[in-house]
Amino acid sequence: MDCLLFTEVLFVYLYRNQLMTQDFRQYKGTFKQFGSIAQIGFYAALSIYPIFLIMKNKQLKSLKWGAVELNTILQFVGKLVRKWHVPFALLSTGVVLLHVNLAILRGFKLDFSYISGMVAALGLLPLLYMGLKRFKRKDHNWHFILAMIFFILFFIHANFS
């Protein structure tokens, strides 16, 4: 994560003059692209929850599609999403921090887009902390609850602003 933050600071430092001289519409498109990349990453990280919810359902475990059981496919996909959940989440968090930095760099406005984005970004901080606690099995299901809250806030920001 430190390397990612260093890369973000270096990106903004090296391209600051170019970013500041861009037309505002072009600049807004630039930081919106970072937001879209983060959105894809967070949806990939969030895919762990429905997969494991389906895996817990006993009725779906016995389903077969031809010679292939649904349970074997779900176990394979479950291993994949478990393996990539943390890297996707951390990379997306870094891209969100860059998105926030670029959004604030040209001036903060009190409109729905900026306020919903700041609330969602602030909701991401306790989620990261509880993710560390989750890794040590000391979160008491808070990581899941905060993930759902963040998902709702993030969805509102991404789709209604």
Side-chain angles (χ1 to χ4, degrees), residues 1-62:
M1 188 72 173
D2 293 334
C3 181
L4 195 59
L5 288 174
F6 175 74
T7 306
E8 292 174 10
V9 170
L10 189 65
F11 174 79
V12 172
Y13 176 76
L14 292 176
Y15 293 103
R16 182 173 170 81
N17 289 335
Q18 182 181 354
L19 290 169
M20 291 299 114
T21 57
Q22 277 183 345
D23 179 45
F24 186 72
R25 286 185 182 181
Q26 186 179 8
Y27 180 79
K28 192 173 182 178
T30 301
F31 76 81
K32 277 190 168 187
Q33 287 175 353
F34 286 114
S36 296
I37 292 168
Q39 183 177 13
I40 293 167
F42 279 129
Y43 287 144
L46 188 73
S47 68
I48 194 169
Y49 296 114
I51 300 271
F52 284 117
L53 187 66
I54 292 171
M55 285 177 68
K56 287 181 182 180
N57 191 337
K58 296 191 188 298
Q59 294 173 345
L60 293 177
K61 282 186 178 182
S62 62

Side-chain angles (χ1 to χ4, degrees), residues 11-126:
F11 174 79
V12 172
Y13 176 76
L14 292 176
Y15 293 103
R16 182 173 170 81
N17 289 335
Q18 182 181 354
L19 290 169
M20 291 299 114
T21 57
Q22 277 183 345
D23 179 45
F24 186 72
R25 286 185 182 181
Q26 186 179 8
Y27 180 79
K28 192 173 182 178
T30 301
F31 76 81
K32 277 190 168 187
Q33 287 175 353
F34 286 114
S36 296
I37 292 168
Q39 183 177 13
I40 293 167
F42 279 129
Y43 287 144
L46 188 73
S47 68
I48 194 169
Y49 296 114
I51 300 271
F52 284 117
L53 187 66
I54 292 171
M55 285 177 68
K56 287 181 182 180
N57 191 337
K58 296 191 188 298
Q59 294 173 345
L60 293 177
K61 282 186 178 182
S62 62
L63 284 178
K64 290 184 179 182
W65 186 37
V68 180
E69 289 185 10
L70 183 63
N71 192 29
T72 56
I73 295 171
L74 286 175
Q75 286 177 346
F76 174 73
V77 174
K79 286 179 185 176
L80 268 176
V81 296
R82 181 179 286 158
K83 181 179 180 179
W84 289 101
H85 173 78
V86 173
F88 278 145
L90 289 178
L91 283 173
S92 298
T93 301
V95 174
V96 162
L97 293 175
L98 181 60
H99 172 73
V100 169
N101 190 10
L102 289 174
I104 293 175
L105 202 59
R106 291 281 291 255
F108 183 79
K109 300 174 187 166
L110 284 175
D111 62 359
F112 179 77
S113 179
Y114 281 84
I115 292 172
S116 65
M118 292 306 285
V119 169
L122 289 175
L124 186 58
L125 297 176

